[in-house]
Every structure is written in C-alpha cells, then in structure tokens.
Amino acid sequence: MLLLVALGTVLHHPLLIPPLAASMALVAASPDLPLSQPRSVIGGQLLSALTGFAVVAVAGPGLWSAAVAGGLALGAMMLARAPHSPAAATAVIVALGSPPFWTFTGLLAASCVLLVAAGRLMARATRRTYPVYWF
C-alpha cells in the first residue's frame, strides 16, 4: 500500500483507494482464497469499475446510482467467475464521483497489478504459494 501511495504522489493521482486496501488485506492474509487470486483481484476490480461507469452513463452519478452499481457489480463478478467483494466498493466510488474514465481505469489496472505483484513477493518471502491459480 505504501508503494501505491508513493507512486500516486509521483503521478499526482491517488492510487490508493479504500477498496484496494481491502484487496491487499485479502491477498496478504488469505492468499489461498478464490477472492484473492489475480483473476478476482484484477478482473473483479476492473469489471466493477466498468459497471460503475455504465450505471453513471445511464443514470448519472449519485447515491441511487451508487447503490445500483454496487449490486450490479457483485452480479457481474459472479457471472464472470471473478468474485472480489472489495471491488463492489469500487463501483460505488465510480458511481458517486464519476471520475475520468481512462485515467481512473488505467490507474486502477496498474494498482491491481502492483497488488498482485506485491502478493507474489510476500508469498516468496514467507515461502507460501501465491497465486494458487491465475485464471
């Protein structure tokens, strides 16, 4: 998480958003769970962000949109077999704030890849296996 803050400071864009802290907690504390695997971390976060943007495109930003986006994101992740509960909050953040699409999505993707890489490094340092599977 410190790497995300440092990189965000250099880029002048926040990379550490609350759902990513929860994602890192899953990867670090429970690397064997399906929710912690790269498919779920990266795929779930990106799918949820896209869901949030789709809801904003249809209904505009706001609390009602955020509630709908969070629920739809959970359903979309389940259909894609990429469940990652913290990612539902990413859809909510998108629907509330309506950030710039390309900037947010690109930075989110980079952040998720960094989290998975940090998980791999932690696993090596502790002689654990991560990821259990990629896809």
Side-chain angles (χ1 to χ4, degrees):
M1 288 189 291
L2 290 173
L3 178 61
L4 292 179
V5 172
L7 189 55
T9 301
V10 169
L11 296 174
H12 303 292
H13 287 286
L15 294 182
L16 179 60
I17 58 174
L20 294 179
S23 295
M24 191 68 226
L26 280 171
V27 170
S30 303
D32 298 334
L33 288 179
L35 297 174
S36 302
Q37 302 313 304
R39 173 190 180 102
S40 293
V41 174
I42 298 168
Q45 287 286 359
L46 292 176
L47 186 57
S48 291
L50 293 175
T51 302
F53 282 114
V55 170
V56 168
V58 171
L63 289 173
W64 291 101
S65 294
V68 170
L72 288 176
L74 286 171
M77 287 185 285
M78 297 306 292
L79 286 173
R81 296 183 306 116
H84 189 66
S85 50
T90 300
V92 170
I93 287 170
V94 168
L96 285 174
S98 191
F101 177 84
W102 291 110
T103 303
F104 185 86
T105 307
L107 293 173
L108 179 65
S111 297
C112 290
V113 169
L114 285 172
L115 289 180
V116 168
R120 286 187 52 98
L121 289 173
M122 286 187 303
R124 282 189 178 181
T126 59
R127 300 191 199 297
R128 295 177 81 174
T129 300
Y130 181 79
V132 175
Y133 57 87
W134 284 94
F135 295 102

